[in-house]
Structures are given as structure tokens and as C-alpha cells.
Amino acid sequence: MKLVRKDIEKDNAGQVTLVPEEPEDMWHTYNLVQVGDSLRASTIRKVQTESSTGSVGSNRVRTTLTLCVEAIDFDSQACQLRVKGTNIQENEYVKMGAYHTIELEPNRQFTLAKKQWDSVVLERIEQACDPAWSADVAAVVMQEGLAHICLVTPSMTLTRAKVEVNIPRKRKGNCSQHDRALERFYEQVVQAIQRHINFDVVKCVLVASPGFVREQFCDYMFQQAVKTDNKVLLENRSKFLQVHASSGHKYSLKEALCDPTVASRLSDTKAAGEVKALDDFYKMLQHEPDRAFYGLKQVEKANEAMAVDTLLISDELFRHQDVATRSRYVRLVDSVKENAGTVRIFSSLHVSGEQLSQLTGVAAILRFPVPELSDQEDDSSSEED
């Protein structure tokens, strides 16, 4: 993301002009734009024209509109963002108050104005414009007959390809059908890796599977690379890292990212940091439940006692339509930081973020046990029962 201009007043009102440069930046933009903001960008509008003879025709013109945002739609697979709203600035082609939809896309500049820029949104702009946050990881999660090729970016897990091949069982004295199907499956996975993984950007490719599937696949892939003189695969052989996973489904990626070998290799990526924080929370919940809370009210009470060491919160909560609710989450984040706590904002499109959302989207690891809050929670749950 490129920051062109930033004009924010002392009362935190103002505007920023940004240029998304990669598909990843569209996810950041989705988290920046909120209902009620004003968005200015170039767009194409269908305009009706009437000739001197009275005949009516229509043609498409490019114009710059400023909309008051009413609806936002994000397509995570295509990385496209559509913003719908009403025109709030005079325009020769569009009447004031008329509805229009602007499609934001990479390399197209836009200006976003807010009445109140909060700390979470400003921090996201800093992260989006910092190249260090774009360290990417690719992953191949597989089992016999099923593979998912994913890109693990700092903000989301994108499934780029799914390979499914029916593998017949081995029969006594005849394994040829099984072996041929397995070879066909491996070949399709190799093709998907070459099609969807950009080795100029990706610093590590995790190959995760149960049993010996990953070893057999890697042996096959590099044998074929030598035979066909595939320089791309051979030159990037050191980037492939084999780890255990319980299955070939996407959710098993979390296990692979939790592996200590992987964690040390990816120590500078946000994805690994999120997974480690969630893993630490689960361990604390199991061994010292008085130091692991989830749910907004409980975490707020723990924060009042200045007990929060690490706050885990989903970015989905900052997209809440209600301004008061959104401000409540922002205040919690700011307060934890003021009390020298660590804040981890999880992406709702990331594997770990999906799991955090199942825990209400807010969780905390505490510095010290706060048993009285746990007792309150138990009392309230028994009253509900």
C-alpha cells in the first residue's frame, strides 16, 4: 500500500489518500472503509445522452465521484472491493443523492475521509504501508487424494487450489492402479504449486500431511524436476519445509504453523505470531484457567484489574455497524496498550482468526490469576441455566 497524502486534524477528523498495490492491500482497504465514511475515487458511469434529433443513447464515461458509504462487499478470492453509497459532491454526470457503486482495485488511487480516525484504523494504515508486513508463506496441506494449496499472508489464508483425485486401495499382488492414481495426484499438485506460488515473494513453502505422504510427494516432485530440468523448483528446493498435519483439509494448516521448526523459520511473520498467541491461550485455558478469559465483559473486567498481558481480538469486531460498539473495542485495545499489554489483532480470514471468532472474537492471557472473575462467570452461567 502506498500512502500519497494524510491530513488528519487534532480532533482526529480528516482524510487519507492511498493506492493499493497488491491484492493483499484490498483486504486492508476493506478494514479501513466503514459505513458513514466518504470515499472519493474514479469510476465508470453509464450516462444517457439525447441528440438534437431527439434520439436517446447511452455511453460509459469515466468520472470521479465522492460517495457517502452505505454498503461494503469484499470478495476474498478475487480480492475485489465494491463500495455502494450516495453521491455527496456536485458532478456533471451524477445527481446529488444518486446511488452508485465504486469498484476499488489495485493501482487505483482513492481518498477516504472519516469524522473520527481511531487508533486501530491508523495502525492498520501503518502496517499496510510497511513492506515488512508482506512476508508471505505458502502451504500445501495434503493427504492421499486430497490437497489444498494455500497462501498464508499476514492478514489471511487464501486457498488458491484444491486437488482431488480418487485413489483406489492397494490390492493383494496388484498395486499398479493405486500407484498410477497416486502419481497422477502428485503431478496435479506439482502443477498447482507452479501455477499459484510466486517464488520471488514466498520465503517458505510448508508441505504438511499425515504419515509419509509429504516425504513421498517431495521425493516425486524433485525427481521430476531433475528429469524435466525445472529450474524454478530446483533453485527453490531449500524453501520447502516438511511438517506433520493430521489431514489434507485447510483447518490442519494451524497444526503445521504451530510446529516449533516452522515457528522459528517464520518468526518474523504475523501469521506465525497469531497462531502462537492462540496456542498459548489454549494451553493457559487448560492448565491455568484463572489466567485465560474470553468474552468481552470478562476481558474488560480483567483489564480494569490491569491483569491483561496479551489481548487477542478479531478484526471483524472493528467492522461493527454500531459506532458505540466499535468504539468499545477500540477503547479496550488502547487501554491494554496503555497498561503495557500486547495486542494481537487477528484476521477473520485467517485460520487462527476463524478459531478466535468461535471464542466470541475476544480473548486474553492474564499476567496473574483473577479467580473472582472466574467465579462470577460460573455464577452467571448457572443463573442462565
Side-chain angles (χ1 to χ4, degrees):
M1 186 88 82
K2 183 182 176 185
L3 179 63
V4 178
R5 189 179 175 87
K6 185 177 176 183
D7 297 312
I8 296 177
E9 305 297 330
K10 288 181 181 178
D11 61 354
N12 284 333
Q15 62 183 34
V16 295
T17 302
L18 297 161
V19 181
E21 295 177 312
E22 301 170 5
E24 169 81 8
D25 292 336
M26 300 313 299
W27 171 248
H28 289 300
T29 305
Y30 173 50
N31 282 278
L32 294 174
V33 181
Q34 294 165 344
V35 173
D37 294 347
S38 77
L39 177 76
R40 183 173 176 80
S42 71
T43 183
I44 293 174
R45 178 83 174 186
K46 194 174 182 180
V47 178
Q48 282 196 336
T49 54
E50 189 174 338
S51 68
S52 55
T53 58
S55 61
V56 177
S58 65
N59 61 325
R60 293 158 68 85
V61 295
R62 180 167 289 283
T63 184
T64 301
L65 289 181
T66 305
L67 303 183
C68 177
V69 179
E70 291 192 10
I72 308 145
D73 178 47
F74 180 64
D75 182 344
S76 61
Q77 293 304 314
C79 285
Q80 288 182 338
L81 185 66
R82 295 179 188 87
V83 181
K84 183 183 178 183
T86 53
N87 182 35
I88 56 172
Q89 210 167 78
E90 287 288 347
N91 184 282
E92 60 177 306
Y93 302 111
V94 185
K95 293 178 183 177
M96 291 281 283
Y99 278 94
H100 187 78
T101 299
I102 291 178
E103 278 198 13
L104 295 179
E105 57 188 35
N107 301 311
R108 185 172 292 177
Q109 182 174 300
F110 68 89
T111 299
L112 182 66
K114 291 177 182 283
K115 293 174 183 174
Q116 181 76 28
W117 287 87
D118 60 53
S119 59
V120 173
V121 175
L122 291 172
E123 189 177 338
R124 182 171 282 276
I125 290 176
E126 282 182 29
Q127 291 176 3
C129 297
D130 181 0
W133 283 80
S134 61
D136 284 354
V137 180
V140 182
V141 193
M142 64 193 308
Q143 64 189 50
E144 281 198 359
L146 175 67
H148 286 84
I149 289 80
C150 305
L151 290 180
V152 186
T153 73
S155 297
M156 55 181 150
T157 306
L158 289 170
T159 304
R160 281 298 179 221
K162 181 181 178 182
V163 179
E164 276 187 291
V165 172
N166 184 35
I167 310 287
R169 290 184 179 181
K170 287 184 179 179
R171 297 171 184 265
K172 268 192 176 180
N174 183 13
C175 299
S176 58
Q177 278 190 313
H178 172 272
D179 293 345
R180 278 201 300 272
L182 200 58
E183 192 171 314
R184 192 167 69 251
F185 168 62
Y186 287 161
E187 178 57 32
Q188 287 184 26
V189 176
V190 172
Q191 288 175 4
I193 288 173
Q194 291 179 289
R195 194 178 304 118
H196 297 287
I197 295 177
N198 180 357
F199 287 98
D200 293 334
V201 176
V202 169
K203 58 186 282 188
C204 179
V205 183
L206 305 179
V207 183
S209 78
F212 297 101
V213 177
R214 57 187 179 276
E215 288 96 333
Q216 291 168 358
F217 167 70
C218 286
D219 288 345
Y220 170 85
M221 176 168 60
F222 291 115
Q223 282 171 11
Q224 290 300 311
V226 171
K227 283 182 185 176
T228 58
D229 193 25
N230 189 320
K231 289 180 181 177
V232 174
L233 287 177
L234 293 173
E235 286 171 4
N236 290 281
R237 187 169 188 161
S238 60
K239 292 184 180 180
F240 285 82
L241 186 62
Q242 297 179 27
V243 288
H244 172 78
S246 58
S247 75
H249 295 279
K250 182 185 167 184
Y251 61 77
S252 296
L253 182 56
K254 179 182 174 289
E255 299 169 37
L257 290 169
C258 278
D259 188 288
T261 317
V262 177
S264 62
R265 183 91 171 255
L266 311 177
S267 57
D268 58 337
T269 67
K270 182 172 180 281
E274 286 182 1
V275 171
K276 185 181 183 302
L278 191 62
D279 196 42
D280 289 345
F281 173 79
Y282 281 129
K283 285 177 183 173
M284 193 67 76
L285 193 63
Q286 188 176 359
H287 300 296
E288 291 184 70
D290 287 347
R291 288 183 58 200
F293 285 2
Y294 62 91
L296 181 58
K297 285 185 180 178
Q298 292 299 311
V299 172
E300 281 180 331
K301 285 176 183 175
N303 183 52
E304 285 169 15
M306 296 179 71
V308 176
D309 182 47
T310 305
L311 175 68
L312 290 65
I313 188 164
S314 171
D315 62 8
E316 193 173 24
L317 302 176
F318 301 111
R319 296 196 296 272
H320 203 285
Q321 298 266 346
D322 182 50
V323 177
T325 306
R326 197 163 64 229
S327 299
R328 190 176 171 186
Y329 293 121
V330 173
R331 281 197 305 273
L332 176 62
V333 168
D334 290 342
S335 179
V336 169
K337 287 180 180 176
E338 283 169 13
N339 295 333
T342 303
V343 176
R344 290 274 184 190
I345 298 178
F346 284 59
S347 168
S348 57
L349 281 190
H350 205 282
V351 177
S352 53
E354 289 170 6
Q355 292 195 325
L356 182 62
S357 295
Q358 292 170 7
L359 293 171
T360 72
V362 185
I365 300 170
L366 307 189
R367 295 188 175 99
F368 48 83
V370 189
E372 61 269 21
L373 291 184
S374 294
D375 295 340
Q376 288 174 22
E377 188 179 24
D378 293 340
D379 293 342
S380 63
S381 61
S382 60
E383 286 170 15
E384 287 171 9
D385 296 341

